[in-house]
Amino acid sequence: GNYVGKPQNGWYCRIDRDTGELVDPKCREKDTLTKDFWDPIFKETDFADHIKSRYTIGLKSMLGDDEDEINDVQSEENSV
């Protein structure tokens, strides 16, 4: 991630993704729970995509490789 940093114990701030520098102002944890803190992170970075790719469970057929065999059988039945 590296979207939010902790420059000192008890303080948080945004991180510039291009330079890696900490972006002022520093704020306390309670202040990170506000819309004002997170809006720039969502608007100016790929944070939403990062969260989505990190925590989304991929879709995979529950049948797996058996699906091809089922389709083959169904094709054979339809051609009879």
Side-chain angles (χ1 to χ4, degrees), residues 9-62:
N9 198 17
W11 292 94
Y12 297 85
C13 64
R14 292 180 283 127
I15 296 177
D16 183 317
R17 299 278 292 157
D18 295 327
T19 64
E21 294 178 4
L22 300 174
V23 178
D24 283 331
K26 293 187 285 187
C27 59
R28 293 291 186 177
E29 181 179 8
K30 68 180 175 87
D31 298 321
T32 66
L33 304 175
T34 64
K35 185 176 185 340
D36 290 336
F37 181 82
W38 288 101
D39 268 353
I41 295 171
F42 276 95
K43 290 179 181 175
E44 299 169 11
T45 69
D46 64 342
F47 183 67
D49 293 331
H50 172 74
I51 294 295
K52 190 175 188 177
S53 67
R54 174 94 178 180
Y55 295 104
T56 299
I57 298 174
L59 296 176
K60 182 179 178 184
S61 172
M62 293 177 66

